[in-house]
Amino acid sequence: MHHRARTARLIRFALLLVIAILAALIALLASSSARAQTSPARSAITAEGDMPMSDFLALLQQIAPAAADGAKVYLGAYRLQCGRTPSSTELRHALAREGGDPVLMGLIRASQRQDLATRNQLVRQIRCPAGGTR
């Protein structure tokens, strides 16, 4: 039993560490992109730091594959529940604010553990902003 609790603490620590690194990289990216960069292959990054979702998910996949998988599930469920897809800025805020959106963080953990039951339960807990529900 002690081994299981220790493993759970290590997993939690690793996830928090990944989230902290991700938040730092996102902040760095947002501050360096404040001057509306463009790439021949991509659209412009706006002054607010919004970037194409595919680019953001690709970056997340490189840093933390479970986080990218959880984010993809979150985006799909949010789209179904709320009738729209959050912007990459909204997703970054959901990852970074006060330890992260509990549903999104839970989906990341469920993806890391490959826990389909928990994932399905969390998907039903997604809440839309006022006026955004279908």
Side-chain angles (χ1 to χ4, degrees), residues 16 39 49 62 67 109 118:
L16 290 173
S39 163
Q62 290 177 5
R109 282 188 296 278
T118 299

Side-chain angles (χ1 to χ4, degrees), residues 30 33-34 45-50 89 92:
S33 66
I45 298 173
T46 66
E48 293 83 30
D50 202 18
T89 299
R92 286 195 332 257

Side-chain angles (χ1 to χ4, degrees), residues 38-88:
T38 59
S39 163
R42 306 277 186 210
S43 59
I45 298 173
T46 66
E48 293 83 30
D50 202 18
M51 64 189 298
M53 186 62 75
S54 59
D55 290 352
F56 180 72
L57 290 173
L59 176 64
L60 195 54
Q61 183 71 38
Q62 290 177 5
I63 297 168
D69 294 342
K72 289 174 189 173
V73 172
Y74 179 84
L75 291 170
Y78 191 100
R79 181 176 36 248
L80 288 173
Q81 182 71 21
C82 304
R84 70 174 188 89
T85 302
S87 68
S88 62

Side-chain angles (χ1 to χ4, degrees), residues 1-10:
M1 189 59 96
H2 178 68
H3 179 68
R4 182 176 268 169
R6 185 171 161 216
T7 302
R9 282 195 308 266
L10 285 173

